[in-house]
Amino acid sequence: MHPIEYLRYVARAGDAPAEWLVPEAAEALRGLIGDHNALVMGCRKLLEHHPHRGPMWWLCGHVLAARDPHGVLDELIVEFEGDPTPLQLSLALADVPPGVGGSPLIVETTLASAAGVLVGDQVPGSTTAAGSGGGGPQLWVVAGVGTVVPVEIFSAVTCGMTGGVDRGTTGPAVGATGGTGPFRGAGRPLHVAGADAIDRVIRPTGAFGAEVLRHGTDVPFIPELLARG
C-alpha cells in the first residue's frame, strides 16, 4: 500500500483502540520520512481525525522534532506498548485504606493539560463535581503515556468541538459530535474536567495530585501542527 493511502486508512480508523491505532500511525508516518512537508501534512491528517487522542499529538510532535525520526519512532512504540500506568494504578489502589471515603471514581483520559482533562460521558458534570471536597468519591484520572499535552493544544482541540458549555466546577462540557473549529470532534460525548475536580492523577511514573498536570507535558510543542490550511 502506498504510504499516503496507508496513512489515510489509519486516519479514518474512527474509534479504533489506541493499542492498535498509535503503532499503526507510527508505521504510516515512517513511510513519509524524508519528505518534511509530506510528514507534516500526514501528521495533520492524523490529528484532524483524532484530535482528542493525546498519544497521537505525542507521536507526531516527537517525530517532527527528531533528528533521527526512524529511531525515535522505534523508541516511541516501545514506550507506548510498555506503558506502566496500569501497574501504577494497581499500586495506588493497594495503598487506599479500606472503608475510608469509599472507592475512588477512576476514569481514563486521552487528553490532559494544565487546563483540564478530557473524560468520557461516563463522568457527566454532576458526577465530576463530586470530586475534591464535594463529599462524593475521589476522582482519579488515569493519564497514560503521551496523554499530557501543552495548554495550546488542549485549548485548540476543545474549542474546535461543538456542544453545550457548562461553566460549573468541572469546566465546559463538550459534546464531541462534529467540529465547527479547527479540529473535528471525537464522535462521542466528551467532557472537560477542571483540575479542581481531580483528586489524583495516575501517570507512568506514579500517582500524584492534580498539580502534576502543571509540571510539564509529554508532547513537544510544534506550531506547524496547529496551523491549519
Side-chain angles (χ1 to χ4, degrees), residues 39-219:
L39 191 59
V40 171
M41 293 308 297
C43 287
R44 288 183 181 177
K45 177 60 67 175
L46 289 171
L47 294 170
E48 177 186 358
H49 286 268
H50 304 280
H52 59 295
R53 295 181 186 263
M56 296 295 276
W57 291 95
W58 171 75
L59 177 71
C60 290
H62 279 288
V63 75
L64 289 179
R67 292 186 177 181
D68 175 18
H70 284 291
V72 165
L73 282 174
D74 292 338
E75 294 171 1
L76 293 174
I77 292 173
V78 169
E79 183 178 355
F80 183 79
E81 293 182 338
D83 185 1
T85 306
L87 173 60
Q88 297 294 353
L89 175 60
S90 296
L91 294 174
L93 286 171
D95 288 338
V96 176
V100 179
S103 300
L105 175 61
I106 301 169
V107 297
E108 185 173 4
T109 185
T110 59
L111 191 75
S113 79
V117 301
L118 278 186
V119 293
D121 55 359
Q122 76 273 28
V123 187
S126 58
T127 302
T128 320
S132 287
Q138 290 193 345
L139 178 62
W140 288 18
V141 173
V142 180
V145 167
T147 56
V148 180
V149 304
V151 170
E152 295 90 342
I153 291 175
F154 189 85
S155 297
V157 172
T158 55
C159 288
M161 293 178 179
T162 60
V165 175
D166 174 10
R167 297 295 182 183
T169 59
T170 61
V174 180
T177 56
T180 57
F183 298 105
R184 296 177 183 176
R188 66 181 188 276
L190 294 172
H191 301 268
V192 178
D196 58 347
I198 300 169
D199 294 279
R200 189 169 295 190
V201 179
I202 312 298
R203 298 245 58 214
T205 53
F208 306 91
E211 65 275 3
V212 72
L213 298 175
R214 301 193 298 269
H215 297 165
T217 77
D218 301 336
V219 179

